Structures are given as structure tokens and as C-alpha cells.
Amino acid sequence: MTTQTTRKKRTPGGPQAAGSAGAVRPQVVLLGTGGTIAGTSPRVGDDVGYTAAQRGIGTLLGTLGPALQAGPGRGVDLQSEQVAQIDSKDMSHAVWRRLAERAAWHLGRPEVAGVVVTHGTDTLEETAYLLHRVLAPAKPLVLTAAMRPADALLADGPQNLLDAITAAAQGPGQGLGGVMLALAGRLWAGAQARKVHPYRLDAFDAGDAGALAHVEQGRLRLLRTWPPAGLEPLGLQVLAADIWPEVQIVTSHAGADGRLVDLLLDSGVQGLVVACTGNGSIHHDLLAALLRAQRQGVMLLRALRQGSGCIVAGDAVGLPDAGSLTPAQARVELLLRLLARQA
Ligand code: ASP
């Protein structure tokens, strides 16, 4: 394993393609964006009152030490690049665009087997879904995170990072590629994963879809292949707009009404995701306001607020739905549809 930190674009005469004469070793590129995995705590052992995004990606890589040599890092060149340094609750369109650009650029290098992204868990499912739709890469683009800060007494980040490197390096040989998450010993499809717990180390699942693979002792045990064939990426140009459309999430619940929708309409909202009850049902007062908004050109998309399953076709509401996406992912989908329309 060799490591190197990159901050600039590849210059002519850069690394050769793997498999060409001279046998260049496959590379895995680590892109750092912050999160708890890079966080530190003011009090020893405080796994809640910490500050995210304090350590650089090079430092996180350094903490893997001999575990890399013994495991997935053997025979792989690792490079790292700091793309952002934020708590992912504060994720912005600018960071999404920069991350998508850097990931696309590295994935396009023939010598790169896969890319790993360190990220916070809070908006991980949104970033993963965005990268899935925009890039739909054939190579592994593996996002990882942690539930405890980097200086926790028993940190989970190093193992997650190691597992992500395993997936990036070994995925292609085992029919695994595309956007994935590596967390708590399992791999999840980026388009399906969601955060389901605020504290547990095993904080993600994929609703009905289940995991893609286990990562055990530096090896992948596949449960199914990913991504499905024929995915068409939207392409980076969809993120080029300086002003992104306004897309909000409204929730149907007991006592819901249409006031929020009316306020959003007045403020120029272009898309609304409805986090629905039951099998996509919506309080009748909220529904009336949504239909008014739809008549005025607002794009609507229903998602389920309960975290798994999808709206079973044939329900009475009949508004478009986002399949098994979470409301937050459905918001990304609607954002991308609007961006694609105006591109
Ligand atoms: N607030 C943190 C973040 O999303 C939480 C985490 O990473 O687990 O960046």
C-alpha cells in the first residue's frame, strides 16, 4: 500500500492504466467531506457532544496503519483528497456539485479501481442517491461514515473506512459497482439505503431491499449484485445551474392542513414531496392544497413517511410516487427532475 494526497487535477504524464505493460497497481481514491467519522470530542468518551469534520482525510487514512497492509490495502495505491470539511447536516448544493465532479473525474481515470467518500451520516442517503442518479458509475463509488467521532474510545470509523476500501478495491472483481454505502460490516445500495437510528453503530438499512454484501475479514460476501444493468446517468451538467429549484417536503399527519403549502406556493416553490401516511394517503385538507399547487405547475411526488415499503399501486390518491425512496431521497429526485428540465 502506498498513500498520496492529491489536491489538483491529473497532469499529462500521470499514472498509467492498470493492466498495461509495467503493471501499475490499481488505485483507490479517498475523498473526504467531513462528518462524524472526522469528528472530535471535547470530553474523552463523549460520543454525542462532539464536533463533526475536524480531521482531514489524510489523517483518517493514517489511523488505519498496519490494518491496511494486512488487508484490502495490500497491492492497492491509495490517494486522498479533501473535497469539503462539513457536518453533513449542513450539506449544500455547492458541495454536492464539487463532490460529484471530483468523484466523476477520478472514476474516469483508467487506473482507478474505485472511489471512497467519507461523509456524515445525517444526509448520507441524500448524497448517495444524488451520486447514483447523476453519475450511475460502473466502478464502485463507496460512501462511508461513522456514528462515533474519530477520537472515541471505541471508534467505528476506521473499520468502516477499511471496509469501504475493500469494497472499492474488490467490488469490480465480484460484480459489485455503482454507488454503495459501507457501514457496520455491510454494504448497501446507495439508491436504497437510509439512516434508521440516531445512535446505534448499525444505523442504516435499505428498507425491503436488504444489504448487498457483508464485509468480513477484508473480503466481500455477496448477497446480490449491484448496480442493475442499463442505468442511465443524468450527467454532471444537470448540476450546473447556479440557482437550484426550490423543493420542499410537507408531511401528512393528524390535523394536517394546507396552510404550509399555500405559504410555499406564495414563496415560489417548484416541487413538493409529500411524506404520506399509510399506503400513500394524504389528509384531505392537505391534499386539496396540493392539488391547487399542482394546477399552478408545482411538481408533486409522494413518498412514505414510515421508512420502508413502497406505495402499492391502485390507491385512491393517484398522485405520482417515488417508489421506495425516503422523503429526503424523493426530494433529491424531484430536484434532479426539475434541474434536468431547466438544463
Ligand atoms: N452530524 C453528523 C454528520 O452528518 C452525523 C454523523 O456523521 O454521524 O456529519
Side-chain angles (χ1 to χ4, degrees), residues 16-42:
Q16 290 173 261
S20 63
V24 173
R25 299 197 297 177
Q27 293 182 10
V28 171
V29 179
L30 275 61
L31 303 179
T33 72
T36 296
I37 194 169
T40 57
S41 178

Side-chain angles (χ1 to χ4, degrees), residues 1-227:
M1 189 274 302
T2 59
T3 61
Q4 174 189 345
T5 298
T6 57
R7 291 197 186 281
K8 56 182 188 299
K9 299 193 172 177
R10 183 169 60 137
T11 50
Q16 290 173 261
S20 63
V24 173
R25 299 197 297 177
Q27 293 182 10
V28 171
V29 179
L30 275 61
L31 303 179
T33 72
T36 296
I37 194 169
T40 57
S41 178
R43 286 167 300 278
V44 177
D46 185 348
D47 293 343
V48 177
Y50 59 85
T51 307
Q54 300 301 299
R55 293 194 175 160
I57 183 67
T59 307
L60 300 186
L61 184 53
T63 59
L64 297 184
L68 264 181
Q69 309 290 350
R74 226 179 14 230
V76 177
D77 279 336
L78 294 169
Q79 300 181 357
S80 63
E81 177 179 325
Q82 197 74 45
V83 171
Q85 187 65 306
I86 59 165
D87 185 318
S88 83
K89 73 179 175 58
D90 303 322
M91 183 52 71
S92 67
H93 296 158
V95 173
W96 268 349
R97 179 158 51 202
R98 170 116 186 109
L99 176 60
E101 283 168 0
R102 297 310 293 148
W105 187 80
H106 286 294
L107 288 166
R109 295 166 52 200
E111 66 275 27
V112 169
V115 168
V116 168
V117 177
T118 55
H119 196 286
T121 60
D122 287 354
T123 55
L124 190 53
E125 72 199 53
E126 294 169 61
T127 299
Y129 187 71
L130 179 110
L131 293 172
H132 167 79
R133 290 284 281 124
V134 171
L135 302 180
K139 291 180 184 175
L141 174 51
V142 190
L143 285 78
T144 192
M147 293 299 288
R148 295 180 181 160
D151 61 355
L153 293 173
L154 290 169
D156 55 331
Q159 184 65 55
N160 287 346
L161 184 54
L162 203 58
D163 290 350
I165 293 169
T166 300
Q170 297 176 17
Q174 296 191 41
L176 269 190
V179 179
M180 296 178 276
L181 308 190
L183 287 143
R186 283 186 288 181
L187 291 184
W188 306 97
Q192 298 166 338
R194 73 259 341 250
K195 189 172 181 179
V196 293
H197 202 278
Y199 184 77
R200 220 169 52 199
L201 300 190
D202 196 2
F204 280 74
D205 76 20
D208 293 339
L212 296 177
H214 295 273
V215 191
E216 297 161 339
Q217 292 292 114
R219 286 185 296 273
L220 304 179
R221 177 161 60 88
L222 246 63
L223 302 173
R224 60 193 170 98
T225 55
W226 183 261

Side-chain angles (χ1 to χ4, degrees), residues 271-290:
L272 284 172
V273 169
V274 199
C276 298
T277 42
N279 184 42
S281 58
I282 302 174
H283 190 290
H284 57 79
D285 289 338
L286 177 59
L287 181 60
L290 288 166

